[in-house]
Structure formats: structure tokens, C-alpha cells
Amino acid sequence: MRRFSFAALLAEAANAHQGWGRQWRNPEPKRSYDIVVVGAGGHGLATAYYLASVHGITNVAVLEKGWLGGGNTGRNTTIIRSNYLYDESAGIYEHAVKLWEGLSQELNYNVMFSQRGVMMLAHNQHDVQSLKRHIYANRLNGVDNEWLTPEQAKDFCPPLNISPDLRYPVIGAALQRRGGVARHDAVAWGYARAADARGVDIIQNCEVTGLRRGPNGAISGVETTRGFIGARRVGVVAAGHTSVIMSMADVRMPIESYPLQALVSEPVKPVFPCVVMSNAVHAYISQSDKGELVIGAGTDQYTSYSQQGGLHITTHTLDAILELFPQFSRMRMLRNWGGIVDVTPDRSPIIGKTPIEGLYVNCGWGTGGFKATPGSGHVFAHTLATGEPHKINAPFTLDRFYTGRLIDEAAAAAVAH
Ligand code: FAD
Ligand code: PYC
């Protein structure tokens, strides 16, 4: 008979947390690397994986102040779509969706990518015009998106209330059928396992506390809570904390950090077949494979680094959800949490060089970077490996905030902020 001890259970849980029984190495940091990636979220881990798998660069460390995937990667509502308005955004988000489509096979790890469709609701003429504009722009970029009547929307998502008596009646919807959800932890674990297997060092509990520069001003390594680690190139991929880290090299970032919250209900049998988002009432919802309704709120209205937001934000979201789906009114909410998202003035990411030689940054994904994880890692790896942007991330420079060549995706954010 199998005997359980508390210690054995903890060890088993830790193993499971590291990817269903398969542990990666937990190495001591070396004195120096070719490339150091700061932040073991999905983007940092994906970057390390593509550095190794595409560019053959394996003398790489990913440094994480907590545990891998413990930042926004493990806190988001996992919506994946590429229905963005501008060509530059369609380029990167569609690149990501295509990588998502083969990711479980590529990593040999089930990231549970489920293309169940993302439906965005229209409640007024402005929504109709804006969503239709997105549909036309998307199609020109080869991105699927289609218009639905309220009846077609209800066919696609039976719990949706399309009564004309609603305060914000549903008057149509845009549907991206290739959109969907994935399992966020598995994405971090899958990339970590695959990068580790190629020789990348993933070092947890290792906070970067300083950026060191050589006599020529170029980056020479990072100060950490586990000592100095030398590096030829450093890529900062630290979501809500980018400004803090970049200020260590006196680089001022056009970023504000806000709490963003989500919550889940008690688990129930499958009742909700797709993802539904509404910008006007501000609510979005899907159902996880565990059965929980996954519901997201907007950002708080003030900047903060606390991974906790105001309760009134979540209650407002639940009011909106119940207008659209009254049948959920008696469900109990199980738990809520927050993450810190990094928002740029044009709501588009920054991926590329900084004024400091050897220092690169990938940030500003705000409320919507989970969907970009594979695409972001892929192009950032190219940038770190070659010193030049991939053509897909070339428009997303830090420079654009000096030149004014912004990529104003505010309308596509789908989350109130
Ligand atoms: P993270 O996963 O946050 O990783 C950054 C890592 O850097 C962290 O692990 C952190 O600990 C580490 N770090 C920070 N400082 C240091 C330091 N000094 N030294 C070492 N390590 C450091 N996006 C979508 O596309 N769809 C969604 O449905 C969606 N929903 C969301 C819902 C919520 C509630 C939240 C909070 C976000 C949501 N997002 C969504 C956004 C998405 O989660 C993020 O854009 C994305 O996960 C960012 O990934 P990342 O790897 O850059 O950051
Ligand atoms: O970008 O689709 C999105 C999103 C949904 C919830 C948070 N972000």
C-alpha cells in the first residue's frame, strides 16, 4: 500500500507544479552567459526557448525573482485572438496565433489551446461601426473575423441574453472562430521544459537588483540577489516591473503599471461554449476545462504594484455579466486575484533595442499579452540573437514615443483601462 507523508505530498505537488512529474534542472547561476533574460513569464521563457531552438544559442539564463509563471502569465484569463485593427498588430498577433496552432506538438506538452471562438458584442451604433471596421481590416490582413446577427450570436452562445429590453441590448457581434483559450501554466511549463532540455538555465528566486555597464557604457551583466551575473546581452521581459528594472540603467520607460483582476466561479458542467467579450458593458467570460466560469474585470483607475485591485471593479464586472447572462445569477464565486499590467500610451508593446548597447526590452503588453506569448518570444529571440529586429517587431520600437509614429490600438484592448 502507498504511504503518504506531508513531505512526500509537498514534493509531489512541487513536481506536479513543474510539469506533471517532469522536473527541469534547478541550476546554480554561472558567472556569465551570452544572453540573460530577466523574467520567467511566458514571454521570457518563450524567448529562451526560441534562442535555443531557432538560433542555437544555449548559453542563456532566465532569471526570475519568484517562481516561473508566477506573474501575469499565471494570472490571466487566457484569451487568444488576433482581431486587431492595425497592420503592425495584426502582424504580431496573427504570427502568435499561427504558432499557438502548432505549440503543443512543438513543445511536446499539451498547452490545451482550444479554438472555441472569441465573440465581441455590439450594443450601440458606435460598436457596430467599430467592430465592422475591425472585420474588414482583419480580412485584408488574412485574419478571420465575421459579423453575426443577435440570433446568430445566440446560436453560437446559447446562454447569451438577446432580449431587446436589456439596458445594453445585443445588436450584433464580431466572431473570430480561430480565437480561443489555452492553459496558462502549461504554456510556462512547456516552454521552460523545452528550453531547459536544450541547456538553458532557468533560475528561480533570483531577483535582478541592478544593471551593470562596462567602461564603454554597454551592458556587462546584472546584479542579483544571488550575486553578479555577466552577460553580453540582457533582455528585460518583466511585464509590470519593466520601469523599475530599466531605471537601474537610467532608462525612462513610457509605461504605467496597473492592477488588473479576474475571478472564477465554482465549477459546473460545460455550459459555456466560447469566449464572449463586451467592451461597452465591460465584461468578458469563458469556461475553463475544470468547469469554472472565468471572468475578467477592468484595470483599477490608479497605478500600483500591488497584485490586488479594488473590489468595486469586480462587482461592476459581475453586474455586467449578469445583464448578459442572467442564468448565472445564483452561481457562487470561488476566488479572485490580480496581476500588474504594463500599459503604454498607445496600448501597443515595445520590443527591441534601448539606448544602452546590449540592453533590450520586451514589455507594454498591458492587458493583452498572453495571446502574444509565442509570437513575442519568437521575434524577441531573433532580436537578441542578431541585434536587429525581426520584420514583425520592427515597428514596435521604443523610439516611436520620440518620433510620434504610434500604433494606436486603444480600441482593440477589449478591457476597460
Ligand atoms: P509575466 O508573466 O508577468 O512575467 C514577468 C516576470 O518577471 C514575472 O514572473 C516577475 O516575477 C519577473 N520579474 C519582475 N521583476 C523582476 C526582477 N527584478 N528580477 C527577476 N524577475 C523579475 N492577456 C491576454 O492576451 N488575454 C487575456 O485574457 C488576458 N487576461 C488577463 C487577465 C489578468 C487578470 C491579467 C493580470 C492579465 C491578463 N492578460 C491577458 C495580460 C497577460 O497576462 C500579460 O500581458 C502577459 O502574461 C505578460 O507576460 P510576461 O511573460 O511578459 O509577464
Ligand atoms: O486582450 O483579449 C484580451 C483580453 C481579454 C481579457 C484581458 N485581455
Side-chain angles (χ1 to χ4, degrees), residues 27-291:
E28 276 302 307
K30 290 193 270 187
R31 302 267 306 273
S32 92
Y33 291 89
D34 284 339
I35 297 179
V36 160
V37 174
V38 183
H43 290 233
L45 293 164
T47 302
Y49 168 73
Y50 292 114
L51 276 170
S53 66
V54 176
H55 302 280
I57 302 176
T58 55
N59 188 19
V60 174
V62 185
L63 308 182
E64 168 55 50
K65 74 172 175 181
W67 65 97
L68 66 84
N72 289 331
T73 296
R75 294 164 186 270
N76 73 85
T77 46
T78 83
I79 296 173
I80 294 168
R81 58 190 175 85
S82 55
N83 54 355
Y84 283 69
L85 185 61
Y86 292 106
D87 297 348
E88 296 88 339
S89 320
I92 189 145
Y93 290 105
E94 181 60 16
H95 180 51
V97 168
K98 291 206 172 101
L99 289 172
W100 279 112
E101 285 170 338
L103 197 59
S104 293
Q105 287 75 15
E106 161 125 22
L107 300 178
N108 187 25
Y109 202 107
N110 189 357
V111 299
M112 296 166 82
F113 179 44
S114 159
Q115 291 177 294
R116 58 186 67 179
V118 173
M119 192 162 76
M120 294 177 142
L121 303 179
H123 302 277
N124 52 50
Q125 275 314 311
H126 171 82
D127 286 349
V128 173
Q129 287 168 357
S130 163
L131 289 177
K132 286 193 172 172
R133 186 178 175 211
H134 279 75
I135 291 173
Y136 301 137
N138 290 163
R139 290 199 187 158
L140 288 172
N141 276 317
V143 174
D144 69 305
N145 201 353
E146 64 195 83
W147 181 252
L148 302 184
T149 63
E151 293 70 27
Q152 289 169 324
K154 186 159 177 74
D155 265 1
F156 193 70
C157 183
L160 181 65
N161 184 359
I162 56 166
S163 159
D165 301 331
L166 281 185
R167 189 154 54 118
Y168 295 98
V170 176
I171 61 176
L175 172 63
Q176 184 177 24
R177 290 184 193 268
R178 287 166 60 247
V181 288
R183 176 152 187 216
H184 44 18
D185 304 309
V187 175
W189 298 334
Y191 273 122
R193 188 179 76 168
D196 170 84
R198 284 164 176 78
V200 169
D201 284 356
I202 298 164
I203 300 161
Q204 303 179 82
N205 297 315
C206 183
E207 178 170 357
V208 170
T209 53
L211 296 172
R212 197 187 282 183
R213 294 163 68 178
N216 60 356
I219 207 80
S220 62
V222 293
E223 313 285 351
T224 80
T225 45
R226 292 169 73 170
F228 174 73
I229 299 176
R232 250 177 354 98
R233 289 189 176 149
V234 172
V236 176
V237 204
H241 295 89
T242 313
S243 303
V244 178
I245 297 172
M246 297 302 281
S247 71
M248 297 168 189
D250 298 324
V251 178
R252 191 154 174 247
M253 297 298 291
I255 296 270
E256 286 183 334
S257 296
Y258 291 89
L260 179 68
Q261 301 176 75
L263 61 149
V264 288
S265 72
E266 59 187 328
V268 290
K269 289 197 170 158
V271 286
F272 203 84
C274 58
V275 180
V276 174
M277 316 184 71
S278 162
N279 249 346
V281 301
H282 193 264
Y284 58 93
I285 178 166
S286 65
Q287 186 173 20
S288 75
D289 291 326
K290 283 192 285 184

Side-chain angles (χ1 to χ4, degrees), residues 332-347:
R332 281 168 295 192
M333 291 299 122
L334 208 57
R335 60 181 189 280
N336 73 329
W337 64 90
I340 302 298
V341 296
D342 49 348
V343 177
T344 60
D346 63 357
R347 301 326 194 232

